[in-house]
Amino acid sequence: MNTLFLGLGYIGLPTAAVVASKKLHVTGVDINPSVVETINRGEIHIIEPGLREVVHQAVTDGYLQATTTPVESDVYLIVVPTPFKSNHEPDISYVELATRSVIPLLKEGDLFIIESTSPVGTTDKMARLIFEQRPQLKGKLHIAYCPERVLPGNVLYELVHNDRVIGGIDPESTEKAVAFYAQFVEGNLHRTNAKTAEMCKLTENSSRDVQIAFANELSLICDQAGINVWDLISLANKHPRVNILQPGSGVGGHCIAVDPYFITADFPMEAQLIAKSREINNYKAFWCAQKTKRAIEEFTLKKGRKPRVALMGLAFKPNIDDLRESPAKYIATKVMEGEDADFMIVEPNVENHNVFKFIDYQIAYQQADIVAFLVAHDPFKTLVYDKNKVILDFCGIFKQ
Ligand code: SAJ
């Protein structure tokens, strides 16, 4: 019995390694030869706590190997990215390419699972694609959708302990997929159909986006009203049925800031709140950049010299080193464009970057006239509020 993972990225590789650690044979496929080489050496190309050890062990024990071309297997998992196009329409071309690449290998009784975040109807679409080319397999393959739910930074724990939602194209497919996940998941496995499972993933991330938008909208209102938004939220959350999230410098990453578009693209008339929340969260980053630029201009006018400006944090969320789709990076880039100031960029979780040159967070804080906190990294919380500086606390570093 062999399991084939198509896509060895942030979700595919940890999942492949966890399955292999259960002494099940796993082949991982990635189109990037250097990723394949790295994994076959027992090394990893992404950063995730504890992952290197699990991959290294699985490769050394002979249960995990990587390749650039799919091989015949019994279980096929599609774990490739689903980005969106410039018009915010979902791009499922990687899912389709990966599916097409295994169609010739499929045989009676095989299990084909999609984990990639996908617009509603994708699993049915891929099933049609498979049966168009292999009509003799109709009714003899098990096809299901099971979205990943892991939080970057805590992937290995959540892969095993989170509940999963599993939806087949028919009840037999659901059962077969449940049996597969039961081999390594300790959380509950919830059965449904493919469409509901697809929508469930989009719903989870849209729900978070809408909730963060509410917090971000409050932060804009409080800024106008002269109210400390952190105090306000903490007080409102004392109500037994209120639980407001935290405002920040916008919403980033590859999931929360992307998946809601998979709903709004297909249901533009119905998805009003979801669409507005995306707008608010995008606007928040723009607003932070404008606010910082205005502080620089006011300082220059008042003091007759250009200020030293510390931009604190570039990652897309606290305590990680991932700068992709980061609102903080967007703000830093926007602020530095055309502003006359000495900038100090801080990102304690990254050593080197090809565009930004980093400086120690304590030195930057001490030397700056203006400090903009863009990400709530833990070390920043050890700094002491200095009333002689202009402090733009976009992410609640000094909240009580
Ligand atoms: N953020 C706020 N305020 C908050 C919480 C988050 O501004 O109160 C911001 C973060 O700074 C970040 C963005 O939201 O920029 C997203 O961060 P996140 O921690 O909410 O989520 P991700 O993108 O790291 O992971 C999410 C998770 N989904 C949910 O919590 C519903 C994870 O479980 C999913 O597996 C993942 O998306 C995914 O891959 O879809």
Side-chain angles (χ1 to χ4, degrees), residues 95-170:
V95 173
E96 198 176 320
L97 262 174
T99 303
R100 284 185 190 280
S101 75
V102 298
I103 291 179
L105 304 174
L106 295 171
K107 60 181 185 319
E108 192 174 332
D110 282 353
L111 174 61
F112 175 90
I113 301 171
I114 303 177
E115 284 207 3
S116 307
T117 303
S118 300
V120 174
T122 304
T123 310
D124 283 339
K125 216 185 236 175
M126 293 308 115
R128 279 200 299 277
L129 201 73
I130 293 170
F131 296 133
E132 257 164 40
Q133 291 188 31
R134 303 285 307 277
Q136 68 280 20
L137 286 178
K138 211 161 185 180
K140 296 176 184 158
L141 274 185
H142 304 287
I143 300 179
Y145 183 78
C146 177
E148 61 82 15
R149 286 176 146 174
V150 291
L151 197 70
N154 197 24
V155 168
L156 287 175
Y157 178 85
E158 295 204 357
L159 256 176
V160 174
H161 293 92
N162 287 1
D163 283 12
R164 301 293 290 252
V165 172
I166 301 171
I169 57 165
D170 48 40

Side-chain angles (χ1 to χ4, degrees), residues 11 117 148-152 158 201 204-205 208 212 216 245-256 259 316-318 327:
I11 307 298
T117 303
E148 61 82 15
R149 286 176 146 174
V150 291
L151 197 70
E158 295 204 357
K201 170 69 189 185
E204 290 161 15
N205 281 352
R208 196 153 168 87
I212 299 169
N216 277 334
L245 291 181
Q246 299 298 300
S249 58
V251 168
H254 343 283
C255 310
I256 311 259
D259 299 358
F316 88 81
K317 69 175 188 176

Side-chain angles (χ1 to χ4, degrees), residues 130-375:
I130 293 170
F131 296 133
E132 257 164 40
Q133 291 188 31
R134 303 285 307 277
Q136 68 280 20
L137 286 178
K138 211 161 185 180
K140 296 176 184 158
L141 274 185
H142 304 287
I143 300 179
Y145 183 78
C146 177
E148 61 82 15
R149 286 176 146 174
V150 291
L151 197 70
N154 197 24
V155 168
L156 287 175
Y157 178 85
E158 295 204 357
L159 256 176
V160 174
H161 293 92
N162 287 1
D163 283 12
R164 301 293 290 252
V165 172
I166 301 171
I169 57 165
D170 48 40
E172 296 72 42
S173 295
T174 308
E175 285 314 316
K176 186 95 178 176
V178 165
F180 170 74
Y181 284 100
Q183 298 175 104
F184 64 97
V185 175
E186 289 173 25
N188 294 320
L189 303 173
H190 303 275
R191 293 162 174 82
T192 182
N193 56 43
K195 256 185 171 177
T196 309
E198 288 161 346
M199 186 59 183
C200 188
K201 170 69 189 185
L202 304 180
T203 300
E204 290 161 15
N205 281 352
S206 299
S207 149
R208 196 153 168 87
D209 200 40
V210 170
Q211 290 178 53
I212 299 169
F214 182 70
N216 277 334
E217 184 164 292
L218 282 177
S219 73
L220 303 178
I221 296 168
C222 286
D223 186 68
Q224 279 293 315
I227 293 169
N228 181 315
V229 69
W230 316 102
D231 289 349
L232 172 78
I233 289 176
S234 149
L235 291 168
N237 283 349
K238 302 276 185 243
H239 185 290
R241 284 173 296 283
V242 173
N243 188 11
I244 304 169
L245 291 181
Q246 299 298 300
S249 58
V251 168
H254 343 283
C255 310
I256 311 259
V258 174
D259 299 358
Y261 290 124
F262 288 22
I263 300 180
T264 58
D266 285 342
F267 307 96
M269 292 307 291
E270 295 79 11
Q272 304 279 329
L273 178 63
I274 296 172
K276 194 72 199 165
S277 301
R278 279 279 69 244
E279 259 179 54
I280 292 169
N281 287 333
N282 285 339
Y283 174 71
K284 183 66 195 285
F286 173 82
W287 182 88
C288 293
Q290 293 304 102
K291 199 103 182 133
T292 312
K293 278 166 158 295
R294 215 168 307 130
I296 293 171
E297 283 149 23
E298 277 168 14
F299 183 97
T300 312
L301 267 178
K302 205 163 134 196
K303 305 272 175 163
R305 66 170 174 92
K306 61 182 180 181
R308 300 211 73 192
V309 181
L311 300 172
M312 308 288 277
L314 282 193
F316 88 81
K317 69 175 188 176
N319 306 319
I320 60 163
D321 61 357
D322 193 343
L323 309 190
R324 295 173 307 161
E325 311 300 329
S326 163
K329 197 172 78 180
Y330 160 86
I331 296 165
T333 311
K334 199 132 189 84
V335 168
M336 287 161 73
E337 251 167 35
E339 279 307 335
D340 199 12
D342 288 333
F343 290 103
M344 293 173 284
I345 317 289
V346 172
E347 181 39 77
N349 301 301
V350 179
E351 227 155 81
N352 289 307
H353 191 270
N354 52 1
V355 176
F356 300 102
K357 205 172 163 296
F358 298 129
I359 172 169
D360 175 77
Y361 74 98
Q362 282 166 318
I363 297 175
Y365 185 69
Q366 193 202 346
Q367 294 185 352
D369 303 302
I370 299 173
V371 187
F373 286 102
L374 307 180
V375 191

